[in-house]
Amino acid sequence: MNLIDGNQIATEVLDELSQRISLLKPGKPCVVFVRVGDDPASVSYVKKKERTAQSIGIDARLVVFPTSISESDLLQEIDRLNADDSVHGILVQAPLPSHVNEVSIFNRVNPAKDVDGFHATNLGKLCQEQPDAFRSCTPAGIVELIRRSGIETSGKRVVVLGRSLIVGKPVGMLLLNRSIPGNATVTFCHSRTHNLPSITKEADILIAAIGKPNFVTAQMVKQGCAVIDVGINRIADHSTKSGFRLVGDVDFDEVSPKTSFITPVPGGVGPMTVAMLMSNTVQAYEQIIQTQS
Ligand code: GUN
């Protein structure tokens, strides 16, 4: 079994970006994070994204709104950021309060500044295999982990557990596309799938993104498969200072001995999501500057 070190690969990506950013001087990419409310996981994710951006020379700004903000007021705030020429990337941290339609918000972000890749235009461009599409950060991070670990995808059977807009659907599309890595035979499974283990057992590469702690067990995987665990589930643990610990969607102890490659939680996909956000921000800056010249 090879443990895929997401922290190390993310550091490599960030080092490369840092070099690319130094060539942009005196210009500097700027990303704005929009957070609504104080959900502890969102606070911690956005802080990590801000710190990472600053560490590689990206200007990061944070705007926070109360949970009571109306959808129309939030749309107006996004319009202001869209119109601000000093801003190259905009990220609205999900989840949003239930009275706000998340898709309406994602679709309001100028597609040229959509570093999350959630706008319909960027998702459409992904289907069209257009190179200037912003790929959403977690799917792009998974593909980068697969590429840098030397895992073959062409002609292989990929099974994606989950069909979310943020991970499941776009990661399946990326691995289906005619790219490297790509050209895989992709199957999506979800809560209505019948006979799930019979499908997951066929996977050469299994991507678990369903948000259920330790859901994938040893009986569900084939000997020698590669497993990418996207789950970040907080479970109560009174022996830790925070009172919780993070576990993935995969029962690591049980599944890892059967695998050729596996990502840990934490330290697998998580750091790559942040690294790819930085990559998208540099891409946004470069594309915006190019259209201006
Ligand atoms: N919430 C969980 N993952 C993400 C992400 O990649 N982007 C945003 N904006 N919100 C998230």
Side-chain angles (χ1 to χ4, degrees):
M1 180 269 286
N2 293 296
L3 191 65
I4 300 177
D5 186 342
N7 282 312
Q8 191 197 316
I9 297 176
T11 302
E12 285 168 27
V13 171
L14 292 172
D15 284 347
E16 290 161 18
L17 284 172
S18 187
Q19 301 248 326
R20 216 163 115 196
I21 292 167
S22 64
L23 299 175
L24 301 172
K25 278 179 183 161
K28 195 178 196 187
C30 168
V31 60
V32 175
F33 301 112
V34 177
R35 203 186 77 216
V36 179
D38 296 315
D39 167 60
S42 291
V43 169
S44 135
Y45 293 151
V46 170
K47 204 176 279 170
K48 176 84 191 143
K49 292 171 185 178
E50 262 187 285
R51 289 198 182 134
T52 306
Q54 283 154 357
S55 75
I56 59 164
I58 292 174
D59 187 10
R61 299 182 207 159
L62 170 65
V63 282
V64 180
F65 299 108
T67 318
S68 57
I69 192 169
S70 68
E71 183 174 309
S72 61
D73 284 352
L74 190 54
L75 288 168
Q76 264 186 27
E77 296 292 344
I78 291 169
D79 288 342
R80 275 192 328 109
L81 295 170
N82 284 339
D84 183 340
D85 286 340
S86 70
V87 174
H88 310 104
I90 302 167
L91 181 147
V92 185
Q93 184 67 27
L96 292 170
S98 54
H99 63 272
V100 175
N101 184 318
E102 234 163 56
V103 171
S104 304
I105 299 296
F106 294 151
N107 281 341
R108 191 66 156 239
V109 173
N110 177 349
K113 300 186 179 186
D114 175 32
V115 288
D116 247 337
F118 296 160
H119 191 287
T121 295
N122 282 310
L123 287 163
K125 282 185 173 183
L126 193 70
C127 291
Q128 293 175 333
E129 306 188 34
Q130 294 203 34
D132 67 337
F134 286 106
R135 303 175 305 165
S136 23
C137 307
T138 302
I142 293 168
V143 166
E144 203 58 25
L145 280 181
I146 289 175
R147 188 171 75 81
R148 293 187 190 235
S149 303
I151 299 170
E152 180 60 76
T153 57
S154 182
K156 300 290 183 186
R157 185 85 190 258
V158 170
V159 174
V160 180
L161 281 183
R163 52 176 161 178
S164 71
L165 179 69
I166 292 183
V167 183
K169 283 184 197 143
V171 78
M173 186 61 66
L174 280 172
L175 291 169
L176 171 69
N177 281 351
R178 297 164 187 80
S179 46
I180 301 173
N183 292 308
T185 302
V186 180
T187 304
F188 292 94
C189 297
H190 47 80
S191 53
R192 305 288 175 95
T193 298
H194 291 172
N195 230 333
L196 184 74
S198 71
I199 301 170
T200 55
K201 259 195 230 162
E202 300 254 304
D204 300 306
I205 302 169
L206 179 66
I207 300 175
I210 40 169
K212 292 190 180 160
N214 299 322
F215 180 84
V216 176
T217 56
Q219 296 93 311
M220 292 169 70
V221 302
K222 179 170 77 174
Q223 185 74 36
C225 69
V227 173
I228 309 289
D229 189 352
V230 190
I232 304 180
N233 307 292
R234 288 182 173 208
I235 61 168
D237 184 343
H238 298 298
S239 69
T240 66
K241 203 171 91 190
S242 58
F244 67 86
R245 73 191 158 90
L246 297 179
V247 299
D249 289 350
V250 177
D251 187 328
F252 184 89
D253 292 342
E254 190 179 307
V255 170
S256 57
K258 284 185 87 173
T259 62
S260 53
F261 290 89
I262 188 165
T263 61
V265 176
V269 174
M272 289 304 289
T273 296
V274 180
M276 298 320 285
L277 170 65
M278 304 305 138
S279 172
N280 283 352
T281 303
V282 176
Q283 182 186 333
Y285 179 83
E286 288 173 345
Q287 287 174 185
I288 288 171
I289 294 297
Q290 211 164 36
T291 56
Q292 283 168 353
S293 60

